[in-house]
Each structure stands twice: as C-alpha cells, then as structure tokens.
Amino acid sequence: QVQLAESGGGLVQAGVSLRLSCSASRLTFSSYCMAWFRQAPGKEREFVAAINWSDGNTYYPDSVKGRFTISRDNAKNTVYLQMNSLKPEDTAVYYCAAKGRSTYYTDPRWYEYWGQGTQVTVSS
C-alpha cells in the first residue's frame, strides 16, 4: 500500500529555517500532485503548498508565500518543504499529501494519500 513518511520537524526558535521531507513509496510519484498541509490544535487542516506533477508549478497561500518553498525530486520519490523565517504561528503538525494526475487543491478532502505528520514547534 502507498506510504508517505514525513521527517524533519522539531522545536526551533522564531526566525530560523527548517526543511521537511516526505518520502513516498508504492506509487508512481512523478504522476502525483504533492502538497503540504498543517494543522494546529483546535484548528482545521490548512493548505501550505503544492507542486504539480506535470509542469512543476508551485502554489502557496499568502500566509507562507515568500517564506516557504516546495520542491520535489522524482528520482528520490521525495517532496520537500523549505521553511524560512519561521514564526510562532507556523507551529502545527505538518502533513504531506498526494493526489494522482491532478492539479492541486487547497481542500484536503481531495487528496488520496496522507502521511502521519511531523510536529513543528516555533518558539518566540
């Protein structure tokens, strides 16, 4: 079965950078739109970034645009999220998600596969 495994989370101070990785197995990775979401306690799951499978275009909400960068390495079946200038409000569990042969969606319900998540905590 398909597996997505996130790594790279941790406890950091505001202003520093962190890079998350999501390794995928048992799927044709290059044919999947990959996305990152996050969920803070008591809040809904929030779209953070996505990268298309066909053209590599990337998408971000205003809350992270200019600070976060999503990228993918199809040879390694891995998607990354580079997070710079972290803020306390970025604290959440970060999840990667996959949707086959599709454009991106900001609604998490459209995604077929999910990882277990990695905790990112940013202290002030």
mmCIF file with all atom_site columns, all heavy atoms in Angstrom, residues 39-64:
data_model
loop_
_atom_site.group_PDB
_atom_site.id
_atom_site.type_symbol
_atom_site.label_atom_id
_atom_site.label_alt_id
_atom_site.label_comp_id
_atom_site.label_asym_id
_atom_site.label_entity_id
_atom_site.label_seq_id
_atom_site.pdbx_PDB_ins_code
_atom_site.Cartn_x
_atom_site.Cartn_y
_atom_site.Cartn_z
_atom_site.occupancy
_atom_site.B_iso_or_equiv
_atom_site.pdbx_formal_charge
_atom_site.auth_seq_id
_atom_site.auth_comp_id
_atom_site.auth_asym_id
_atom_site.auth_atom_id
_atom_site.pdbx_PDB_model_num
ATOM 1   N N   . GLN A 1 39 ? -1.806  21.449 10.574  1.00 0.00 ? 39 GLN A N   1
ATOM 2   C CA  . GLN A 1 39 ? -2.949  21.529 11.472  1.00 0.00 ? 39 GLN A CA  1
ATOM 3   C C   . GLN A 1 39 ? -2.471  21.856 12.872  1.00 0.00 ? 39 GLN A C   1
ATOM 4   O O   . GLN A 1 39 ? -1.689  21.104 13.457  1.00 0.00 ? 39 GLN A O   1
ATOM 5   C CB  . GLN A 1 39 ? -3.731  20.217 11.473  1.00 0.00 ? 39 GLN A CB  1
ATOM 6   C CG  . GLN A 1 39 ? -5.054  20.296 12.201  1.00 0.00 ? 39 GLN A CG  1
ATOM 7   C CD  . GLN A 1 39 ? -5.954  19.117 11.891  1.00 0.00 ? 39 GLN A CD  1
ATOM 8   O OE1 . GLN A 1 39 ? -5.508  18.065 11.437  1.00 0.00 ? 39 GLN A OE1 1
ATOM 9   N NE2 . GLN A 1 39 ? -7.245  19.293 12.124  1.00 0.00 ? 39 GLN A NE2 1
ATOM 10  N N   . ALA A 1 40 ? -2.935  22.980 13.364  1.00 0.00 ? 40 ALA A N   1
ATOM 11  C CA  . ALA A 1 40 ? -2.635  23.394 14.725  1.00 0.00 ? 40 ALA A CA  1
ATOM 12  C C   . ALA A 1 40 ? -3.751  22.911 15.638  1.00 0.00 ? 40 ALA A C   1
ATOM 13  O O   . ALA A 1 40 ? -4.878  22.672 15.180  1.00 0.00 ? 40 ALA A O   1
ATOM 14  C CB  . ALA A 1 40 ? -2.511  24.919 14.787  1.00 0.00 ? 40 ALA A CB  1
ATOM 15  N N   . PRO A 1 41 ? -3.500  22.773 16.919  1.00 0.00 ? 41 PRO A N   1
ATOM 16  C CA  . PRO A 1 41 ? -4.522  22.290 17.846  1.00 0.00 ? 41 PRO A CA  1
ATOM 17  C C   . PRO A 1 41 ? -5.784  23.156 17.791  1.00 0.00 ? 41 PRO A C   1
ATOM 18  O O   . PRO A 1 41 ? -5.709  24.389 17.840  1.00 0.00 ? 41 PRO A O   1
ATOM 19  C CB  . PRO A 1 41 ? -3.843  22.405 19.215  1.00 0.00 ? 41 PRO A CB  1
ATOM 20  C CG  . PRO A 1 41 ? -2.394  22.295 18.913  1.00 0.00 ? 41 PRO A CG  1
ATOM 21  C CD  . PRO A 1 41 ? -2.202  22.970 17.593  1.00 0.00 ? 41 PRO A CD  1
ATOM 22  N N   . GLY A 1 42 ? -6.920  22.497 17.639  1.00 0.00 ? 42 GLY A N   1
ATOM 23  C CA  . GLY A 1 42 ? -8.190  23.199 17.622  1.00 0.00 ? 42 GLY A CA  1
ATOM 24  C C   . GLY A 1 42 ? -8.525  23.895 16.328  1.00 0.00 ? 42 GLY A C   1
ATOM 25  O O   . GLY A 1 42 ? -9.539  24.597 16.239  1.00 0.00 ? 42 GLY A O   1
ATOM 26  N N   . LYS A 1 43 ? -7.686  23.711 15.317  1.00 0.00 ? 43 LYS A N   1
ATOM 27  C CA  . LYS A 1 43 ? -7.924  24.372 14.031  1.00 0.00 ? 43 LYS A CA  1
ATOM 28  C C   . LYS A 1 43 ? -8.085  23.345 12.926  1.00 0.00 ? 43 LYS A C   1
ATOM 29  O O   . LYS A 1 43 ? -7.685  22.185 13.059  1.00 0.00 ? 43 LYS A O   1
ATOM 30  C CB  . LYS A 1 43 ? -6.770  25.327 13.708  1.00 0.00 ? 43 LYS A CB  1
ATOM 31  C CG  . LYS A 1 43 ? -6.655  26.499 14.663  1.00 0.00 ? 43 LYS A CG  1
ATOM 32  C CD  . LYS A 1 43 ? -5.642  27.507 14.169  1.00 0.00 ? 43 LYS A CD  1
ATOM 33  C CE  . LYS A 1 43 ? -5.592  28.719 15.072  1.00 0.00 ? 43 LYS A CE  1
ATOM 34  N NZ  . LYS A 1 43 ? -4.621  29.745 14.567  1.00 0.00 ? 43 LYS A NZ  1
ATOM 35  N N   . GLU A 1 44 ? -8.645  23.793 11.807  1.00 0.00 ? 44 GLU A N   1
ATOM 36  C CA  . GLU A 1 44 ? -8.807  22.920 10.660  1.00 0.00 ? 44 GLU A CA  1
ATOM 37  C C   . GLU A 1 44 ? -7.467  22.728 9.947   1.00 0.00 ? 44 GLU A C   1
ATOM 38  O O   . GLU A 1 44 ? -6.553  23.543 10.075  1.00 0.00 ? 44 GLU A O   1
ATOM 39  C CB  . GLU A 1 44 ? -9.837  23.505 9.695   1.00 0.00 ? 44 GLU A CB  1
ATOM 40  C CG  . GLU A 1 44 ? -11.249 23.529 10.260  1.00 0.00 ? 44 GLU A CG  1
ATOM 41  C CD  . GLU A 1 44 ? -12.270 23.969 9.225   1.00 0.00 ? 44 GLU A CD  1
ATOM 42  O OE1 . GLU A 1 44 ? -11.860 24.429 8.146   1.00 0.00 ? 44 GLU A OE1 1
ATOM 43  O OE2 . GLU A 1 44 ? -13.475 23.842 9.497   1.00 0.00 ? 44 GLU A OE2 1
ATOM 44  N N   . ARG A 1 45 ? -7.399  21.663 9.171   1.00 0.00 ? 45 ARG A N   1
ATOM 45  C CA  . ARG A 1 45 ? -6.196  21.418 8.387   1.00 0.00 ? 45 ARG A CA  1
ATOM 46  C C   . ARG A 1 45 ? -6.093  22.491 7.304   1.00 0.00 ? 45 ARG A C   1
ATOM 47  O O   . ARG A 1 45 ? -7.054  22.764 6.586   1.00 0.00 ? 45 ARG A O   1
ATOM 48  C CB  . ARG A 1 45 ? -6.250  20.023 7.775   1.00 0.00 ? 45 ARG A CB  1
ATOM 49  C CG  . ARG A 1 45 ? -4.917  19.545 7.256   1.00 0.00 ? 45 ARG A CG  1
ATOM 50  C CD  . ARG A 1 45 ? -4.908  18.036 7.076   1.00 0.00 ? 45 ARG A CD  1
ATOM 51  N NE  . ARG A 1 45 ? -4.986  17.332 8.360   1.00 0.00 ? 45 ARG A NE  1
ATOM 52  C CZ  . ARG A 1 45 ? -4.765  16.025 8.494   1.00 0.00 ? 45 ARG A CZ  1
ATOM 53  N NH1 . ARG A 1 45 ? -4.448  15.290 7.430   1.00 0.00 ? 45 ARG A NH1 1
ATOM 54  N NH2 . ARG A 1 45 ? -4.869  15.456 9.676   1.00 0.00 ? 45 ARG A NH2 1
ATOM 55  N N   . GLU A 1 46 ? -4.916  23.074 7.181   1.00 0.00 ? 46 GLU A N   1
ATOM 56  C CA  . GLU A 1 46 ? -4.699  24.248 6.343   1.00 0.00 ? 46 GLU A CA  1
ATOM 57  C C   . GLU A 1 46 ? -3.711  23.946 5.221   1.00 0.00 ? 46 GLU A C   1
ATOM 58  O O   . GLU A 1 46 ? -2.647  23.361 5.465   1.00 0.00 ? 46 GLU A O   1
ATOM 59  C CB  . GLU A 1 46 ? -4.152  25.389 7.208   1.00 0.00 ? 46 GLU A CB  1
ATOM 60  C CG  . GLU A 1 46 ? -3.767  26.647 6.477   1.00 0.00 ? 46 GLU A CG  1
ATOM 61  C CD  . GLU A 1 46 ? -3.007  27.630 7.355   1.00 0.00 ? 46 GLU A CD  1
ATOM 62  O OE1 . GLU A 1 46 ? -2.480  27.223 8.408   1.00 0.00 ? 46 GLU A OE1 1
ATOM 63  O OE2 . GLU A 1 46 ? -2.933  28.816 6.970   1.00 0.00 ? 46 GLU A OE2 1
ATOM 64  N N   . PHE A 1 47 ? -4.046  24.374 4.015   1.00 0.00 ? 47 PHE A N   1
ATOM 65  C CA  . PHE A 1 47 ? -3.167  24.216 2.864   1.00 0.00 ? 47 PHE A CA  1
ATOM 66  C C   . PHE A 1 47 ? -1.938  25.099 3.023   1.00 0.00 ? 47 PHE A C   1
ATOM 67  O O   . PHE A 1 47 ? -2.050  26.267 3.380   1.00 0.00 ? 47 PHE A O   1
ATOM 68  C CB  . PHE A 1 47 ? -3.922  24.590 1.593   1.00 0.00 ? 47 PHE A CB  1
ATOM 69  C CG  . PHE A 1 47 ? -3.065  24.680 0.359   1.00 0.00 ? 47 PHE A CG  1
ATOM 70  C CD1 . PHE A 1 47 ? -2.585  23.539 -0.246  1.00 0.00 ? 47 PHE A CD1 1
ATOM 71  C CD2 . PHE A 1 47 ? -2.749  25.912 -0.190  1.00 0.00 ? 47 PHE A CD2 1
ATOM 72  C CE1 . PHE A 1 47 ? -1.803  23.608 -1.390  1.00 0.00 ? 47 PHE A CE1 1
ATOM 73  C CE2 . PHE A 1 47 ? -1.965  26.003 -1.339  1.00 0.00 ? 47 PHE A CE2 1
ATOM 74  C CZ  . PHE A 1 47 ? -1.498  24.844 -1.936  1.00 0.00 ? 47 PHE A CZ  1
ATOM 75  N N   . VAL A 1 48 ? -0.763  24.515 2.738   1.00 0.00 ? 48 VAL A N   1
ATOM 76  C CA  . VAL A 1 48 ? 0.502   25.237 2.893   1.00 0.00 ? 48 VAL A CA  1
ATOM 77  C C   . VAL A 1 48 ? 1.234   25.398 1.567   1.00 0.00 ? 48 VAL A C   1
ATOM 78  O O   . VAL A 1 48 ? 1.800   26.461 1.288   1.00 0.00 ? 48 VAL A O   1
ATOM 79  C CB  . VAL A 1 48 ? 1.410   24.513 3.913   1.00 0.00 ? 48 VAL A CB  1
ATOM 80  C CG1 . VAL A 1 48 ? 2.791   25.161 3.969   1.00 0.00 ? 48 VAL A CG1 1
ATOM 81  C CG2 . VAL A 1 48 ? 0.770   24.513 5.298   1.00 0.00 ? 48 VAL A CG2 1
ATOM 82  N N   . ALA A 1 49 ? 1.254   24.342 0.756   1.00 0.00 ? 49 ALA A N   1
ATOM 83  C CA  . ALA A 1 49 ? 1.984   24.413 -0.505  1.00 0.00 ? 49 ALA A CA  1
ATOM 84  C C   . ALA A 1 49 ? 1.635   23.206 -1.355  1.00 0.00 ? 49 ALA A C   1
ATOM 85  O O   . ALA A 1 49 ? 1.241   22.159 -0.822  1.00 0.00 ? 49 ALA A O   1
ATOM 86  C CB  . ALA A 1 49 ? 3.488   24.453 -0.264  1.00 0.00 ? 49 ALA A CB  1
ATOM 87  N N   . ALA A 1 50 ? 1.788   23.350 -2.665  1.00 0.00 ? 50 ALA A N   1
ATOM 88  C CA  . ALA A 1 50 ? 1.574   22.236 -3.576  1.00 0.00 ? 50 ALA A CA  1
ATOM 89  C C   . ALA A 1 50 ? 2.483   22.386 -4.777  1.00 0.00 ? 50 ALA A C   1
ATOM 90  O O   . ALA A 1 50 ? 2.876   23.502 -5.140  1.00 0.00 ? 50 ALA A O   1
ATOM 91  C CB  . ALA A 1 50 ? 0.121   22.155 -4.021  1.00 0.00 ? 50 ALA A CB  1
ATOM 92  N N   . ILE A 1 51 ? 2.800   21.244 -5.380  1.00 0.00 ? 51 ILE A N   1
ATOM 93  C CA  . ILE A 1 51 ? 3.613   21.240 -6.588  1.00 0.00 ? 51 ILE A CA  1
ATOM 94  C C   . ILE A 1 51 ? 2.990   20.272 -7.571  1.00 0.00 ? 51 ILE A C   1
ATOM 95  O O   . ILE A 1 51 ? 2.700   19.123 -7.236  1.00 0.00 ? 51 ILE A O   1
ATOM 96  C CB  . ILE A 1 51 ? 5.080   20.892 -6.275  1.00 0.00 ? 51 ILE A CB  1
ATOM 97  C CG1 . ILE A 1 51 ? 5.941   20.972 -7.532  1.00 0.00 ? 51 ILE A CG1 1
ATOM 98  C CG2 . ILE A 1 51 ? 5.213   19.547 -5.572  1.00 0.00 ? 51 ILE A CG2 1
ATOM 99  C CD1 . ILE A 1 51 ? 7.448   20.983 -7.241  1.00 0.00 ? 51 ILE A CD1 1
ATOM 100 N N   . ASN A 1 52 ? 2.750   20.755 -8.784  1.00 0.00 ? 52 ASN A N   1
ATOM 101 C CA  . ASN A 1 52 ? 2.098   19.939 -9.799  1.00 0.00 ? 52 ASN A CA  1
ATOM 102 C C   . ASN A 1 52 ? 2.989   18.802 -10.262 1.00 0.00 ? 52 ASN A C   1
ATOM 103 O O   . ASN A 1 52 ? 4.211   18.882 -10.234 1.00 0.00 ? 52 ASN A O   1
ATOM 104 C CB  . ASN A 1 52 ? 1.730   20.816 -10.995 1.00 0.00 ? 52 ASN A CB  1
ATOM 105 C CG  . ASN A 1 52 ? 0.332   21.377 -10.882 1.00 0.00 ? 52 ASN A CG  1
ATOM 106 O OD1 . ASN A 1 52 ? -0.442  20.985 -10.022 1.00 0.00 ? 52 ASN A OD1 1
ATOM 107 N ND2 . ASN A 1 52 ? 0.022   22.313 -11.753 1.00 0.00 ? 52 ASN A ND2 1
ATOM 108 N N   . TRP A 1 53 ? 2.344   17.747 -10.756 1.00 0.00 ? 53 TRP A N   1
ATOM 109 C CA  . TRP A 1 53 ? 3.104   16.615 -11.271 1.00 0.00 ? 53 TRP A CA  1
ATOM 110 C C   . TRP A 1 53 ? 3.559   16.856 -12.710 1.00 0.00 ? 53 TRP A C   1
ATOM 111 O O   . TRP A 1 53 ? 4.585   16.348 -13.130 1.00 0.00 ? 53 TRP A O   1
ATOM 112 C CB  . TRP A 1 53 ? 2.241   15.346 -11.219 1.00 0.00 ? 53 TRP A CB  1
ATOM 113 C CG  . TRP A 1 53 ? 1.075   15.377 -12.173 1.00 0.00 ? 53 TRP A CG  1
ATOM 114 C CD1 . TRP A 1 53 ? -0.139  15.981 -11.985 1.00 0.00 ? 53 TRP A CD1 1
ATOM 115 C CD2 . TRP A 1 53 ? 1.031   14.789 -13.479 1.00 0.00 ? 53 TRP A CD2 1
ATOM 116 N NE1 . TRP A 1 53 ? -0.932  15.799 -13.075 1.00 0.00 ? 53 TRP A NE1 1
ATOM 117 C CE2 . TRP A 1 53 ? -0.259  15.065 -14.009 1.00 0.00 ? 53 TRP A CE2 1
ATOM 118 C CE3 . TRP A 1 53 ? 1.925   14.049 -14.241 1.00 0.00 ? 53 TRP A CE3 1
ATOM 119 C CZ2 . TRP A 1 53 ? -0.646  14.634 -15.270 1.00 0.00 ? 53 TRP A CZ2 1
ATOM 120 C CZ3 . TRP A 1 53 ? 1.536   13.610 -15.499 1.00 0.00 ? 53 TRP A CZ3 1
ATOM 121 C CH2 . TRP A 1 53 ? 0.261   13.909 -16.000 1.00 0.00 ? 53 TRP A CH2 1
ATOM 122 N N   . SER A 1 54 ? 2.776   17.630 -13.465 1.00 0.00 ? 54 SER A N   1
ATOM 123 C CA  . SER A 1 54 ? 3.009   17.732 -14.903 1.00 0.00 ? 54 SER A CA  1
ATOM 124 C C   . SER A 1 54 ? 4.004   18.818 -15.274 1.00 0.00 ? 54 SER A C   1
ATOM 125 O O   . SER A 1 54 ? 4.843   18.607 -16.154 1.00 0.00 ? 54 SER A O   1
ATOM 126 C CB  . SER A 1 54 ? 1.690   17.985 -15.630 1.00 0.00 ? 54 SER A CB  1
ATOM 127 O OG  . SER A 1 54 ? 1.066   19.148 -15.102 1.00 0.00 ? 54 SER A OG  1
ATOM 128 N N   . ASP A 1 55 ? 3.923   19.965 -14.593 1.00 0.00 ? 55 ASP A N   1
ATOM 129 C CA  . ASP A 1 55 ? 4.765   21.084 -15.001 1.00 0.00 ? 55 ASP A CA  1
ATOM 130 C C   . ASP A 1 55 ? 5.623   21.639 -13.868 1.00 0.00 ? 55 ASP A C   1
ATOM 131 O O   . ASP A 1 55 ? 6.407   22.559 -14.085 1.00 0.00 ? 55 ASP A O   1
ATOM 132 C CB  . ASP A 1 55 ? 3.915   22.225 -15.589 1.00 0.00 ? 55 ASP A CB  1
ATOM 133 C CG  . ASP A 1 55 ? 2.804   22.668 -14.662 1.00 0.00 ? 55 ASP A CG  1
ATOM 134 O OD1 . ASP A 1 55 ? 2.867   22.343 -13.459 1.00 0.00 ? 55 ASP A OD1 1
ATOM 135 O OD2 . ASP A 1 55 ? 1.865   23.323 -15.134 1.00 0.00 ? 55 ASP A OD2 1
ATOM 136 N N   . GLY A 1 56 ? 5.464   21.072 -12.675 1.00 0.00 ? 56 GLY A N   1
ATOM 137 C CA  . GLY A 1 56 ? 6.269   21.517 -11.549 1.00 0.00 ? 56 GLY A CA  1
ATOM 138 C C   . GLY A 1 56 ? 5.876   22.859 -10.987 1.00 0.00 ? 56 GLY A C   1
ATOM 139 O O   . GLY A 1 56 ? 6.586   23.401 -10.132 1.00 0.00 ? 56 GLY A O   1
ATOM 140 N N   . ASN A 1 57 ? 4.760   23.410 -11.466 1.00 0.00 ? 57 ASN A N   1
ATOM 141 C CA  . ASN A 1 57 ? 4.311   24.682 -10.902 1.00 0.00 ? 57 ASN A CA  1
ATOM 142 C C   . ASN A 1 57 ? 3.998   24.532 -9.420  1.00 0.00 ? 57 ASN A C   1
ATOM 143 O O   . ASN A 1 57 ? 3.551   23.485 -8.968  1.00 0.00 ? 57 ASN A O   1
ATOM 144 C CB  . ASN A 1 57 ? 3.074   25.184 -11.644 1.00 0.00 ? 57 ASN A CB  1
ATOM 145 C CG  . ASN A 1 57 ? 3.425   25.786 -12.990 1.00 0.00 ? 57 ASN A CG  1
ATOM 146 O OD1 . ASN A 1 57 ? 4.603   26.019 -13.293 1.00 0.00 ? 57 ASN A OD1 1
ATOM 147 N ND2 . ASN A 1 57 ? 2.427   26.029 -13.819 1.00 0.00 ? 57 ASN A ND2 1
ATOM 148 N N   . THR A 1 58 ? 4.223   25.613 -8.697  1.00 0.00 ? 58 THR A N   1
ATOM 149 C CA  . THR A 1 58 ? 4.021   25.599 -7.253  1.00 0.00 ? 58 THR A CA  1
ATOM 150 C C   . THR A 1 58 ? 2.970   26.621 -6.834  1.00 0.00 ? 58 THR A C   1
ATOM 151 O O   . THR A 1 58 ? 2.742   27.616 -7.540  1.00 0.00 ? 58 THR A O   1
ATOM 152 C CB  . THR A 1 58 ? 5.332   25.880 -6.517  1.00 0.00 ? 58 THR A CB  1
ATOM 153 O OG1 . THR A 1 58 ? 5.864   27.142 -6.959  1.00 0.00 ? 58 THR A OG1 1
ATOM 154 C CG2 . THR A 1 58 ? 6.356   24.793 -6.803  1.00 0.00 ? 58 THR A CG2 1
ATOM 155 N N   . TYR A 1 59 ? 2.359   26.364 -5.689  1.00 0.00 ? 59 TYR A N   1
ATOM 156 C CA  . TYR A 1 59 ? 1.264   27.200 -5.211  1.00 0.00 ? 59 TYR A CA  1
ATOM 157 C C   . TYR A 1 59 ? 1.374   27.345 -3.701  1.00 0.00 ? 59 TYR A C   1
ATOM 158 O O   . TYR A 1 59 ? 1.688   26.377 -3.006  1.00 0.00 ? 59 TYR A O   1
ATOM 159 C CB  . TYR A 1 59 ? -0.079  26.559 -5.579  1.00 0.00 ? 59 TYR A CB  1
ATOM 160 C CG  . TYR A 1 59 ? -0.183  26.233 -7.040  1.00 0.00 ? 59 TYR A CG  1
ATOM 161 C CD1 . TYR A 1 59 ? 0.209   24.977 -7.514  1.00 0.00 ? 59 TYR A CD1 1
ATOM 162 C CD2 . TYR A 1 59 ? -0.635  27.174 -7.954  1.00 0.00 ? 59 TYR A CD2 1
ATOM 163 C CE1 . TYR A 1 59 ? 0.149   24.674 -8.857  1.00 0.00 ? 59 TYR A CE1 1
ATOM 164 C CE2 . TYR A 1 59 ? -0.694  26.870 -9.306  1.00 0.00 ? 59 TYR A CE2 1
ATOM 165 C CZ  . TYR A 1 59 ? -0.311  25.621 -9.747  1.00 0.00 ? 59 TYR A CZ  1
ATOM 166 O OH  . TYR A 1 59 ? -0.366  25.332 -11.070 1.00 0.00 ? 59 TYR A OH  1
ATOM 167 N N   . TYR A 1 60 ? 1.080   28.562 -3.222  1.00 0.00 ? 60 TYR A N   1
ATOM 168 C CA  . TYR A 1 60 ? 1.164   28.851 -1.801  1.00 0.00 ? 60 TYR A CA  1
ATOM 169 C C   . TYR A 1 60 ? 0.052   29.799 -1.379  1.00 0.00 ? 60 TYR A C   1
ATOM 170 O O   . TYR A 1 60 ? -0.324  30.675 -2.162  1.00 0.00 ? 60 TYR A O   1
ATOM 171 C CB  . TYR A 1 60 ? 2.509   29.534 -1.470  1.00 0.00 ? 60 TYR A CB  1
ATOM 172 C CG  . TYR A 1 60 ? 3.728   28.819 -1.978  1.00 0.00 ? 60 TYR A CG  1
ATOM 173 C CD1 . TYR A 1 60 ? 4.273   29.124 -3.217  1.00 0.00 ? 60 TYR A CD1 1
ATOM 174 C CD2 . TYR A 1 60 ? 4.356   27.848 -1.204  1.00 0.00 ? 60 TYR A CD2 1
ATOM 175 C CE1 . TYR A 1 60 ? 5.398   28.474 -3.689  1.00 0.00 ? 60 TYR A CE1 1
ATOM 176 C CE2 . TYR A 1 60 ? 5.488   27.196 -1.660  1.00 0.00 ? 60 TYR A CE2 1
ATOM 177 C CZ  . TYR A 1 60 ? 5.997   27.515 -2.911  1.00 0.00 ? 60 TYR A CZ  1
ATOM 178 O OH  . TYR A 1 60 ? 7.121   26.865 -3.356  1.00 0.00 ? 60 TYR A OH  1
ATOM 179 N N   . PRO A 1 61 ? -0.408  29.685 -0.164  1.00 0.00 ? 61 PRO A N   1
ATOM 180 C CA  . PRO A 1 61 ? -1.306  30.724 0.343   1.00 0.00 ? 61 PRO A CA  1
ATOM 181 C C   . PRO A 1 61 ? -0.481  31.937 0.760   1.00 0.00 ? 61 PRO A C   1
ATOM 182 O O   . PRO A 1 61 ? 0.741   31.843 0.951   1.00 0.00 ? 61 PRO A O   1
ATOM 183 C CB  . PRO A 1 61 ? -1.949  30.047 1.554   1.00 0.00 ? 61 PRO A CB  1
ATOM 184 C CG  . PRO A 1 61 ? -0.887  29.121 2.045   1.00 0.00 ? 61 PRO A CG  1
ATOM 185 C CD  . PRO A 1 61 ? -0.176  28.630 0.828   1.00 0.00 ? 61 PRO A CD  1
ATOM 186 N N   . ASP A 1 62 ? -1.146  33.046 0.929   1.00 0.00 ? 62 ASP A N   1
ATOM 187 C CA  . ASP A 1 62 ? -0.443  34.280 1.281   1.00 0.00 ? 62 ASP A CA  1
ATOM 188 C C   . ASP A 1 62 ? 0.300   34.159 2.615   1.00 0.00 ? 62 ASP A C   1
ATOM 189 O O   . ASP A 1 62 ? 1.319   34.832 2.814   1.00 0.00 ? 62 ASP A O   1
ATOM 190 C CB  . ASP A 1 62 ? -1.425  35.445 1.353   1.00 0.00 ? 62 ASP A CB  1
ATOM 191 C CG  . ASP A 1 62 ? -1.918  35.862 -0.021  1.00 0.00 ? 62 ASP A CG  1
ATOM 192 O OD1 . ASP A 1 62 ? -1.267  35.496 -1.027  1.00 0.00 ? 62 ASP A OD1 1
ATOM 193 O OD2 . ASP A 1 62 ? -2.948  36.556 -0.090  1.00 0.00 ? 62 ASP A OD2 1
ATOM 194 N N   . SER A 1 63 ? -0.197  33.318 3.496   1.00 0.00 ? 63 SER A N   1
ATOM 195 C CA  . SER A 1 63 ? 0.391   33.212 4.833   1.00 0.00 ? 63 SER A CA  1
ATOM 196 C C   . SER A 1 63 ? 1.827   32.692 4.815   1.00 0.00 ? 63 SER A C   1
ATOM 197 O O   . SER A 1 63 ? 2.594   32.942 5.756   1.00 0.00 ? 63 SER A O   1
ATOM 198 C CB  . SER A 1 63 ? -0.473  32.319 5.725   1.00 0.00 ? 63 SER A CB  1
ATOM 199 O OG  . SER A 1 63 ? -0.612  31.028 5.140   1.00 0.00 ? 63 SER A OG  1
ATOM 200 N N   . VAL A 1 64 ? 2.207   31.969 3.766   1.00 0.00 ? 64 VAL A N   1
ATOM 201 C CA  . VAL A 1 64 ? 3.568   31.411 3.712   1.00 0.00 ? 64 VAL A CA  1
ATOM 202 C C   . VAL A 1 64 ? 4.329   31.843 2.468   1.00 0.00 ? 64 VAL A C   1
ATOM 203 O O   . VAL A 1 64 ? 5.523   31.550 2.349   1.00 0.00 ? 64 VAL A O   1
ATOM 204 C CB  . VAL A 1 64 ? 3.546   29.870 3.790   1.00 0.00 ? 64 VAL A CB  1
ATOM 205 C CG1 . VAL A 1 64 ? 2.781   29.404 5.018   1.00 0.00 ? 64 VAL A CG1 1
ATOM 206 C CG2 . VAL A 1 64 ? 2.985   29.258 2.516   1.00 0.00 ? 64 VAL A CG2 1
#
